Amino acid sequence: EFVLNQPYSVLKAWLGRASIGIHTMWNEHFGIGVVEMQAAGLITIAHDSGGPKADIIVKTVDGYLASSVDEYSSAMYRALCDGANSNENMQIRARGRESSKRFSDQVFAREFKDAIVASGILS
């Protein structure tokens, strides 16, 4: 079932029921949806480009990266059929949740403040 363009409350409800999350946008600048899927504990499969590749997912550590139909289907098979509740998949879920914390409001505020202080513009 595909659920498109829904309010955040609906998205959160679906994330709470889902096992995997698939993100297919090519060369997305960042990919907050990918971070939201990880934070919800989903095994995340994202396009092997842009922000998901550069900044968010470490392949097979806290999610999967794919760029072709075969790569997406292989990652989906590993997540759903090769032991959806396997120890490896449970570790990917836990590492994804932990990884998502790098993008929290608290981390942003702290690092933004540190950057301003380090720049010396307040002197």
Side-chain angles (χ1 to χ4, degrees), residues 23-83:
H23 183 275
T24 61
M25 183 176 177
W26 171 76
N27 219 17
E28 181 167 3
H29 177 69
F30 178 66
I32 193 63
V34 175
V35 175
E36 289 172 339
M37 287 185 269
Q38 287 183 317
L42 277 60
I43 295 177
T44 305
I45 305 165
H47 197 276
D48 193 8
S49 66
K53 178 181 183 175
D55 300 319
I56 303 172
I57 291 184
V58 178
K59 198 171 188 174
T60 69
V61 171
D62 58 7
Y64 295 100
L65 293 169
S67 59
S68 69
V69 170
D70 288 341
E71 289 175 355
Y72 273 99
S73 63
S74 177
M76 288 168 44
Y77 186 87
R78 286 192 306 266
L80 294 171
C81 300
D82 268 356

Side-chain angles (χ1 to χ4, degrees), residues 79-93:
L80 294 171
C81 300
D82 268 356
N85 294 315
S86 71
N87 188 46
E88 177 185 357
N89 280 344
M90 298 309 276
Q91 289 177 357
I92 288 172
R93 291 173 189 273

